[in-house]
Amino acid sequence: MSSAANTTATKAPARLSKGKRDLLRFMNTIVLLLSGALIVWISIDTFKEVDFLQNRSYMTFQLWVCVFFIVDFFVELIVSADKWRFFRHRLVFLMLSIPYLNIVSLMDIHLTADALYFVRFIPLARGALAMSIVIGYLSSNAVTSLFMSYLSIMMLVTYFCSLIFFQREHGVNPEVDTYWTALWWSFMNMSTVGCDISPVTVSGKIVAVVLPCSGMVIFPLFTVYLTNYVTGAMNKAKKEL
């Protein structure tokens, strides 16, 4: 997500009335709670090796979560001061809110096990983006807001990829004996340092490409943040002299 999009998302509520700001806060809170519930549910099912397509409770829950995500998008669009700009910047939110997994199940579309597992994580991507923006609201300036947003995305991507890697590689790859091994592998690849564990499944190889690419985009922001912080501290020190 671009810095302009984050800045817009952060500043937009300030131009709204108190009632609309309260409504957006309420919707964002529900989105965060639902996203957290999805993360917990998927984590438990992954560790217990539950077939999620056969888990009707999960499928129903995910459907209603996606429905709420779509409602949230249009509510924010209606109250937005600049609707066209909001639509352009948040269109990806709407695309990620569609309940693809339920559509696949309802229409009996046959996908590979690897493809199905990735589809399952699409609503979580929507939740991760929402979390990054809400966390950005808590920051004091634009640079810190951008830094916190990307930091939250980095942590969530690392965790999601570790779940995918563990679920697809455990029992197939002798090097992946526990989840902690998968988490270590995910973190080392996100940091672009790399790991001596080689994936053997298609999903594992895809994640092995996604993680370092994400790391190359996100980690330079740490340099930007530190430079901004040091510059600000030096300017403050000069003013006090």
Side-chain angles (χ1 to χ4, degrees):
M1 182 177 298
S2 66
S3 59
N6 275 289
T7 303
T8 301
T10 304
K11 291 183 177 180
R15 299 197 299 266
L16 302 175
S17 65
K18 183 179 183 301
K20 290 181 178 180
R21 290 200 303 271
D22 290 341
L23 174 61
L24 290 181
R25 289 193 187 98
F26 173 76
M27 298 295 287
N28 287 331
T29 300
I30 300 300
V31 167
L32 288 177
L33 291 175
L34 291 177
S35 300
L38 271 180
I39 293 172
V40 172
W41 202 322
I42 286 180
S43 300
I44 293 174
D45 282 359
T46 297
F47 297 138
K48 290 185 176 182
E49 299 182 357
V50 175
D51 184 352
F52 54 89
L53 284 179
Q54 302 302 319
N55 188 343
R56 304 316 303 174
S57 297
Y58 171 79
M59 293 292 288
T60 301
F61 178 71
Q62 182 183 245
L63 173 62
W64 285 110
V65 168
C66 289
V67 169
F68 186 86
F69 285 170
I70 294 173
V71 171
D72 173 69
F73 174 85
F74 284 105
V75 168
E76 292 196 44
L77 176 63
I78 291 172
V79 303
S80 175
D82 189 341
K83 293 180 173 54
W84 174 238
R85 189 174 186 179
F86 175 89
F87 183 81
R88 286 187 290 113
H89 288 161
R90 299 290 187 87
L91 179 59
V92 65
F93 280 56
L94 179 62
M95 300 304 296
L96 292 174
S97 299
I98 298 174
Y100 296 105
L101 195 61
N102 298 89
I103 294 174
V104 167
S105 178
L106 180 64
M107 300 184 67
D108 196 25
I109 299 174
H110 297 286
L111 298 176
T112 64
D114 291 322
L116 273 176
Y117 203 75
F118 278 109
V119 170
R120 188 188 190 193
F121 276 81
I122 291 178
L124 287 185
R126 164 67 172 86
L129 289 174
M131 286 183 179
S132 69
I133 288 181
V134 173
I135 291 174
Y137 287 162
L138 306 177
S139 305
S140 57
N141 58 64
V143 175
T144 304
S145 174
L146 182 64
F147 172 77
M148 294 302 296
S149 296
Y150 276 95
L151 180 62
S152 61
I153 290 176
M154 182 191 72
M155 295 176 63
L156 290 169
V157 168
T158 301
Y159 179 67
F160 295 160
C161 287
S162 71
L163 286 180
I164 295 173
F165 189 74
F166 175 73
Q167 201 278 336
R168 306 312 297 169
E169 295 280 329
H170 183 60
V172 178
N173 189 339
E175 295 180 311
V176 184
D177 51 351
T178 66
Y179 168 71
W180 302 111
T181 302
L183 182 61
W184 168 254
W185 177 90
S186 184
F187 176 77
M188 294 302 290
N189 278 278
M190 172 62 80
S191 66
T192 70
V193 174
C195 186
D196 58 356
I197 299 176
S198 300
V200 297
T201 64
V202 174
S203 295
K205 292 176 181 178
I206 292 175
V207 171
V209 174
V210 171
L211 281 169
C213 289
S214 301
M216 286 187 289
V217 172
I218 295 174
F219 271 94
L221 293 172
F222 286 89
T223 304
V224 175
Y225 177 75
L226 289 175
T227 301
N228 178 78
Y229 179 82
V230 172
T231 302
M234 291 178 64
N235 291 335
K236 183 178 179 180
K238 289 179 180 179
K239 291 179 180 180
E240 293 177 351
L241 292 177

